Amino acid sequence: MPAVDPARLAGEIDAVFGRAHEPAVLARQVLDLLERYAERARRHGGQREDALDSPRPVTAALAHAVEAEASRTGAGLDLAQALWSIPVRETRLLASKALGDENGQGGTGGDPAVADDGPGPGVPGAAGAIFPAPSRPVELRPDGGQD
């Protein structure tokens, strides 16, 4: 795995997103970039999805680029489908970024492997929390139900 030089990485990402706009080609070039930075020593075989263990700065920068490309071209669904078709954890996380959420923002739920966006929604300080925090305190009833 090469060391991550932010300036070099930005140039590589600009080159990928500057050359290709066809979703399938773009997805393949994103995978090539992820593989270039992959941590091969930590790869685990036999998983349902292969994980490249690309460094967090690489996946975060790609996530921002995928989001920008999807909003710029309006082809988020096509890009998401192309990325999802590659059975690699990182490309599938990037596919969720291409889709965004109901507010037009990224759709990763604060996944720390994708973006350095601080704590996710939910419990304050709990990075990657997926479920939103309740709007009011939740108390359990003696019978196990919630009020």
Side-chain angles (χ1 to χ4, degrees):
M1 169 183 78
V4 178
D5 173 17
R8 179 178 177 200
L9 177 61
E12 291 171 331
I13 290 174
D14 287 345
V16 166
F17 285 88
R19 282 191 305 241
H21 297 288
E22 180 66 34
V25 174
L26 189 56
R28 182 64 205 167
Q29 290 179 348
V30 165
L31 177 63
D32 290 344
L33 186 57
L34 286 167
E35 286 178 336
R36 191 173 315 137
Y37 284 95
E39 176 62 69
R40 302 210 190 287
R42 293 193 301 164
R43 290 184 90 171
H44 307 286
Q47 294 178 346
R48 200 176 87 208
E49 288 182 322
D50 197 12
L52 297 173
D53 292 322
S54 296
R56 185 174 178 174
V58 174
T59 54
L62 280 168
H64 291 294
V66 163
E67 236 179 345
E69 179 73 9
S71 66
R72 186 182 65 76
T73 64
L77 181 59
D78 294 335
L79 181 55
Q81 288 174 332
L83 287 165
W84 191 267
S85 71
I86 301 169
V88 174
R89 181 178 184 269
E90 288 86 348
T91 58
R92 292 193 168 177
L93 290 170
L94 292 171
S96 71
K97 282 300 231 185
L99 292 176
D101 68 13
E102 65 276 1
N103 297 321
Q105 303 298 316
T108 63
D111 188 324
V114 175
D116 188 12
D117 53 4
V123 180
I130 295 173
F131 302 104
S135 57
R136 62 182 176 83
V138 176
E139 295 182 30
L140 294 178
R141 297 188 309 241
D143 65 357
Q146 292 182 359
D147 282 343

